Amino acid sequence: MNIAPSPNPSSDTDSSALADAWKYSLEAAGPAASSVLAGLAEGHAAELAAHFYKIMMNDARASRSMSHDQVRVRLQPAMQRWVRDLLRASTADVEQLIANQRVIGDVHARVGIPVDLVTRGTRVLKQRLFQLIGEHAGHSETAHAAIASLTASFDIALEGMTLAYSNARERSSRTDAAYRLFSLVQNVSTERERQRALLLDWENTLLYALAAQGDMGGFQTLARSEFGLWFNHKGIPSFGESSETRQISALINEVDQLLQHTLQQESDPAVRTARLQDVRSKVSQVRSLLGMLFERIGELDAGCDALTNLLNRRFLPTVLRREIELAEKSSGSFGVLLLDLDHFKAINDTHGHEAGDRALQHVAGILSQFTRGSDYVFRYGGEEFVVVLVAVEARQAMVIADGLCRRMAETPVVLADGQLLEISASIGVALYDGHPDYERVMARADAAMYQAKKQGRNRVVLGSDALPAAPGRNALRRD
């Protein structure tokens, strides 16, 4: 269903050179040294994997990216396999081993594991293995050959990982830069006026609440307002980090602190009025800085689906990485909806491709109209759509998904001849679970959508790790 990344020609050339070097070192080791390493693979892989993650988890950067349960249940067994594969490697295994290192490097880049942590881990593994070789083979020529072969295998594997890591990070950086240029604001003037209106509406609501001398306890903070959510989840990544975006973030925080510590606790009307002027002054500064940022944005079409005018999947990894970062900072969550139109092939076969295009545009309109301005709507490919719901928990995500599913079923498509075409969609919902790899949340949404299809279509299913994986799923394309 999804498209895997196409190979990079320069990477293939580099991989070929690594493979030649690896084969040469294995041939030079000889059978006796290979036998020593294979014996260590059988007897010490578990110990070595545990040692590796003990070193890794002592670093705060690693512990932020992975939990002890993840290490015990999933990562440590994978590391055991990696150690065994390298220690038992033969020349016939080398091409597959090189490919495996490239996959590992891609995952490290996607999750954000620093290269120096991986380098440190492999260094301590080699040191431990040198000790074990000495215990098993002493200082013989076989021991020296085993150490030379081991060093070459680990260094070449690490080089292959690092090459893939660098390429993946470079692709991500290019996409992130394009994303900022595109800015997710297809119509600058319309979006600028919309955000100004939202900011003004929040300010007017505040004035009304203060004038009524009511309890401010239930008043929505500026950060949690529709404008605040838009700015944090779309504005900052769209405009890019700058002194203006940092100033706006600081002003929003100052406004909310004033509301929390002064306006909610102060009953003297004169003091409340004075503090209100402080709030209005800061909101005015936000409005001015926002205008400056919008003036810098041009209307770029790259990254926009031509048929539906939604985002295409190019920027989905960028958005998901950003939402994971925000969720980690705030201890919050976000949701992903994966929608697939039901019986879409039958629509094209029965009514023609023009009707299919109308159906896609119709669904895009519903998704855009009935999601919040801070959310993201993508045409994922074919008849599939993705909605990223920012700052939501499971219950809220399910309410939104059920509403979208119902609206599509209740709102037929009007064809060119006036005929009404009923449509429906199967929707998989997945919530961010704290794992730093965005592929995990996408895989759960995909599995849930597949279950919605199996259960009869026109329904919503909440994803979980207990659901079987959807057949045929590949990784997100990383342009």
Side-chain angles (χ1 to χ4, degrees), residues 263-331:
L263 295 179
Q264 292 181 16
Q265 302 170 11
E266 184 58 62
S267 58
D268 186 339
V271 176
R272 287 166 71 96
T273 299
R275 295 296 181 266
L276 174 61
Q277 292 307 314
D278 290 344
V279 169
R280 297 192 69 184
S281 173
K282 294 181 186 300
V283 171
S284 177
Q285 293 178 59
V286 170
R287 193 178 295 112
S288 175
L289 289 165
L290 191 67
M292 294 170 57
L293 290 170
F294 270 112
E295 287 177 4
R296 298 178 185 172
I297 293 182
E299 296 186 43
L300 303 177
D301 292 329
C304 182
D305 177 63
L307 178 65
T308 62
N309 204 34
L310 299 178
L311 295 168
N312 63 34
R313 64 187 290 161
R314 177 187 182 194
F315 293 136
L316 183 55
T318 298
V319 168
L320 293 175
R321 284 195 303 269
R322 168 71 178 173
E323 289 306 311
I324 288 173
E325 179 184 344
L326 289 172
E328 287 298 310
K329 287 181 179 177
S330 64
S331 299

Side-chain angles (χ1 to χ4, degrees), residues 207-462:
L207 291 172
Y208 178 80
L210 290 172
Q213 296 291 309
D215 178 21
M216 296 291 295
F219 183 76
Q220 194 172 52
T221 64
L222 183 53
R224 297 296 300 175
S225 70
E226 189 168 352
F227 167 78
L229 287 174
W230 174 87
F231 179 76
N232 198 32
H233 291 272
K234 277 192 174 179
I236 292 176
S238 298
F239 298 126
E241 293 282 353
S242 67
S243 61
E244 289 86 359
T245 56
R246 286 190 290 272
Q247 288 179 65
I248 290 176
S249 294
L251 287 164
I252 290 173
N253 186 52
E254 290 169 13
V255 165
D256 288 343
Q257 286 183 348
L258 276 172
L259 291 174
Q260 180 180 359
H261 299 301
T262 303
L263 295 179
Q264 292 181 16
Q265 302 170 11
E266 184 58 62
S267 58
D268 186 339
V271 176
R272 287 166 71 96
T273 299
R275 295 296 181 266
L276 174 61
Q277 292 307 314
D278 290 344
V279 169
R280 297 192 69 184
S281 173
K282 294 181 186 300
V283 171
S284 177
Q285 293 178 59
V286 170
R287 193 178 295 112
S288 175
L289 289 165
L290 191 67
M292 294 170 57
L293 290 170
F294 270 112
E295 287 177 4
R296 298 178 185 172
I297 293 182
E299 296 186 43
L300 303 177
D301 292 329
C304 182
D305 177 63
L307 178 65
T308 62
N309 204 34
L310 299 178
L311 295 168
N312 63 34
R313 64 187 290 161
R314 177 187 182 194
F315 293 136
L316 183 55
T318 298
V319 168
L320 293 175
R321 284 195 303 269
R322 168 71 178 173
E323 289 306 311
I324 288 173
E325 179 184 344
L326 289 172
E328 287 298 310
K329 287 181 179 177
S330 64
S331 299
S333 186
F334 66 91
V336 172
L337 312 185
L338 182 57
L339 301 85
D340 187 276
L341 293 192
D342 297 327
H343 305 297
F344 186 72
K345 183 177 185 299
I347 293 175
N348 280 331
D349 292 345
T350 304
H351 302 280
H353 288 281
E354 182 182 349
D357 288 348
R358 281 179 177 260
L360 294 172
Q361 291 168 334
H362 178 78
V363 170
I366 290 175
L367 297 179
S368 298
Q369 183 178 357
F370 294 103
T371 52
R372 302 164 301 173
S374 53
D375 299 327
Y376 297 85
V377 184
F378 296 82
R379 184 181 178 194
Y380 196 49
E383 66 272 26
E384 289 185 324
F385 298 83
V386 168
V387 181
V388 179
L389 301 173
V390 307
V392 296
E393 301 297 334
R395 183 187 62 80
Q396 187 180 3
M398 288 297 288
V399 167
I400 295 172
D402 285 331
L404 292 171
C405 190
R406 185 178 63 255
R407 288 185 184 279
M408 281 183 270
E410 294 174 351
T411 311
V413 180
V414 181
L415 301 182
D417 59 2
Q419 181 181 353
L420 299 181
L421 175 64
E422 293 187 353
I423 60 168
S424 66
S426 301
I427 305 178
V429 181
L431 271 291
Y432 171 64
D433 65 353
H435 195 282
D437 188 352
Y438 56 75
E439 286 284 0
R440 287 279 294 268
V441 70
M442 287 300 300
R444 288 202 312 279
D446 200 14
M449 188 268 286
Y450 180 67
Q451 288 300 312
K453 291 285 188 186
K454 286 185 66 176
Q455 293 174 20
R457 297 180 171 85
N458 188 26
R459 66 192 64 226
V460 177
V461 171
L462 178 63

